[in-house]
Amino acid sequence: MSSRVTGISLKKLKKYKMLYLMLIPGVVYLLINNYAPMFGIIIAFKDVNFAKGIMNSDWVGLKNFEYLFKTEDAYIITRNTILYNLVFIALNLVVAVALAVLLYELKNRFLPRLYQSIILLPYLMSSVIIGYLVYSLLSMETGLINNTILPLLGRGGVMWYNDPKYWPYILTLVKIWSTAGYLSIVYFAAVVGIDHEYYEAATLDGASKLQRIFKITIPLITPVIIIMTLLQIGRIFYSDFGLFYQVPLDSGVLMPTTNVIDTYVYRALLKNGDIGMSSAAGVYQSIVGFIIILISNYVVKKINPENSLF
């Protein structure tokens, strides 16, 4: 029996050998980039002494994790990280799906490709460039909003970089502008894959455009929406470091609304140079993210097993 199974496996290996060869670069990249660094987890439990080396440094248990939870800023950075990510996930989903549907409705073959390139451009920009673009809009001395738009509305200038209350809205707008285009292309690919006969049948039955969108398009791309949402939920304890560090220009006045776990750890690392603490933060974010994605997938599986990630 075992020889027969081995024979079948070898037969399949020969049949699909080109596919397995094409798989090798991806697997190697995954092992080097995603799995090999996992051995660095031990740094989170050590008092790293470079003279002794990482392996010979003293074990300190959970002492590196205490840094995150005993600080006075623990509540603020945790609240900011989770709330910003929840808003980003919800708004990105709505805007990206809307953009994907609008792209699909364009009849001209050239225009969707042109618009895809335009809306993808912000995603490819460096956060440093985005930070200075925002500064060119909000600067008190030379900014477009303070010097052109607000005077037209009969209002005086606003010190955007001195008041934290504006920044939840500014960061949300910048995040949606920079990432919704990329996500919309993923959803657009899913919409293009829908069998056109569904739309033809609905049109013959007298369905309006909105009815076709909400009765055909949205239900059929729901599995893709759920997978993309689960992947984003898994990183809910991570934040876009460039967005929260570069766009507010590392302003200390704005930290009540711009400080998140990643920027807090980075600033602490610059001040203390403690890589054990920064590794502990990474382990904490990974474990919590993994648990959240398991719970989210379990809930989706209970509601509709076909839409679950695994």
Side-chain angles (χ1 to χ4, degrees):
M1 182 71 181
S2 59
S3 60
R4 185 182 173 189
V5 172
T6 306
I8 293 172
S9 300
L10 288 173
K11 192 176 178 181
K12 285 185 176 179
L13 186 64
K14 288 180 181 176
K15 184 178 180 182
Y16 300 114
K17 61 181 178 183
M18 289 309 296
L19 292 177
Y20 288 122
L21 286 173
M22 291 168 66
L23 189 66
I24 289 174
V27 172
V28 171
Y29 170 81
L30 197 67
L31 291 173
I32 294 175
N33 192 62
N34 293 51
Y35 286 92
M38 290 178 71
F39 292 104
I41 286 176
I42 62 171
I43 297 174
F45 303 95
K46 288 210 166 197
D47 180 15
V48 177
N49 184 331
F50 290 106
K52 297 180 180 177
I54 292 174
M55 298 306 294
N56 294 323
S57 296
D58 299 329
W59 291 95
V60 293
L62 298 176
K63 189 178 177 183
N64 287 326
F65 292 86
E66 292 177 1
Y67 178 86
L68 279 175
F69 300 106
K70 287 189 175 180
T71 173
E72 294 177 354
D73 297 322
Y75 167 73
I76 293 174
I77 60 176
T78 304
R79 178 202 66 186
N80 287 350
T81 304
I82 294 175
L83 290 182
Y84 273 120
N85 276 320
L86 286 175
V87 172
F88 292 164
I89 291 170
L91 292 182
N92 264 330
L93 172 63
V94 174
V95 175
V97 171
L99 283 173
V101 172
L102 289 172
L103 287 172
Y104 183 73
E105 292 297 328
L106 291 173
K107 301 302 179 188
N108 187 313
R109 289 184 180 181
F110 174 73
L111 288 179
R113 294 177 184 176
L114 175 65
Y115 291 144
Q116 282 177 48
S117 302
I118 293 173
I119 60 179
L120 183 62
L121 188 60
Y123 183 76
L124 303 176
M125 283 185 183
S126 159
S127 55
V128 176
I129 295 174
I130 292 176
Y132 280 101
L133 284 176
V134 174
Y135 181 74
S136 69
L137 291 174
L138 303 181
S139 168
M140 189 64 192
E141 295 79 20
T142 58
L144 178 69
I145 293 179
N146 279 331
N147 291 281
T148 305
I149 296 177
L150 291 180
L152 287 175
L153 299 174
R155 298 191 58 183
V158 177
M159 303 284 283
W160 302 100
Y161 288 91
N162 287 345
D163 197 338
K165 70 179 181 183
Y166 300 114
W167 284 87
Y169 306 102
I170 295 170
L171 291 174
T172 301
L173 286 173
V174 174
K175 180 67 177 179
I176 302 304
W177 172 72
S178 63
T179 57
Y182 164 74
L183 292 172
S184 74
I185 292 174
V186 177
Y187 295 129
F188 178 68
V191 175
V192 170
I194 297 173
D195 192 338
H196 199 68
E197 290 184 359
Y198 289 116
Y199 295 108
E200 291 176 351
T203 304
L204 289 174
D205 288 341
S208 66
K209 189 163 286 186
L210 280 178
Q211 286 175 323
R212 294 200 298 271
I213 290 171
F214 286 103
K215 299 292 184 182
I216 298 175
T217 306
I218 301 298
L220 289 180
I221 66 169
T222 296
V224 178
I225 291 174
I226 290 174
I227 289 172
M228 295 297 290
T229 305
L230 285 175
L231 292 176
Q232 292 177 73
I233 288 174
R235 296 186 61 80
I236 203 165
F237 264 68
Y238 289 86
S239 48
D240 186 338
F241 177 80
L243 175 73
F244 289 98
Y245 189 79
Q246 299 289 354
V247 176
L249 301 180
D250 194 24
S251 172
V253 181
L254 306 179
M255 283 190 188
T257 55
T258 61
N259 206 8
V260 289
I261 294 175
D262 293 73
T263 54
Y264 183 81
V265 171
Y266 177 74
R267 291 188 183 103
L269 187 61
L270 283 180
K271 189 186 298 180
N272 303 328
D274 188 343
I275 64 169
M277 176 270 297
S278 58
S279 298
V283 172
Y284 165 65
Q285 289 173 306
S286 300
I287 292 174
V288 173
F290 181 64
I291 293 170
I292 289 175
I293 205 168
L294 286 179
I295 294 172
S296 304
N297 189 69
Y298 176 77
V299 173
V300 173
K301 200 170 185 176
K302 282 290 181 186
I303 298 171
N304 188 345
E306 293 182 358
N307 290 335
S308 62
L309 194 58
F310 48 86

